[in-house]
Amino acid sequence: ALAECPLCGDANHKMANCQRWRRGLRVSCASFQSGDAEAESQVRQAAERACTADCLESVRWHGSSLFVTMSTEKNAKQLFEVAAGEGLEIAGEMVSVELLSSQ
């Protein structure tokens, strides 16, 4: 059996086959703990600052990383570019943001 897709939670496909994959990002930080509501809330706020209020579709924990699905590929790239350019700080620590479709 496949492990569940980190982006949507479906156990029937791998992440690369997920419809959300091109709109997905992985946000990771050494201090993240799975289910950390404060980190999740700050990632949501950062996404909305980078794009628009409705640009975020979902945020899911998978291990100690947050998998973020944006509403469009453009929004996913925008958040990635802001994080790459200005850096993205969550709870006072720099986080790493990866655009899944560029992997």
Side-chain angles (χ1 to χ4, degrees), residues 47-67:
E48 295 188 350
R49 277 196 307 274
C51 306
T52 58
D54 298 322
C55 66
L56 193 70
E57 191 173 297
S58 72
V59 177
R60 297 188 79 252
W61 284 100
H62 190 81
S64 58
S65 292
L66 271 171
F67 283 80

Side-chain angles (χ1 to χ4, degrees), residues 1-78:
L2 290 170
E4 68 176 25
C5 170
L7 280 170
C8 71
D10 190 331
N12 296 316
H13 62 243
K14 289 189 166 73
M15 184 168 67
N17 299 332
C18 186
Q19 290 182 332
R20 299 181 180 193
W21 181 67
R22 292 198 169 278
R23 298 180 282 123
L25 302 135
R26 176 165 61 186
V27 181
S28 40
C29 178
S31 65
F32 274 5
Q33 301 291 322
S34 186
D36 180 342
E38 180 59 27
E40 187 175 327
S41 161
Q42 289 197 25
V43 167
R44 286 179 183 277
Q45 288 167 19
E48 295 188 350
R49 277 196 307 274
C51 306
T52 58
D54 298 322
C55 66
L56 193 70
E57 191 173 297
S58 72
V59 177
R60 297 188 79 252
W61 284 100
H62 190 81
S64 58
S65 292
L66 271 171
F67 283 80
V68 177
T69 303
M70 303 300 280
S71 56
T72 65
E73 287 181 45
K74 184 174 174 242
N75 283 334
K77 285 196 175 80
Q78 213 170 344

Side-chain angles (χ1 to χ4, degrees), residues 73-91:
E73 287 181 45
K74 184 174 174 242
N75 283 334
K77 285 196 175 80
Q78 213 170 344
L79 178 57
F80 174 72
E81 282 163 9
V82 166
E86 300 166 23
L88 191 59
E89 211 174 90
I90 302 294

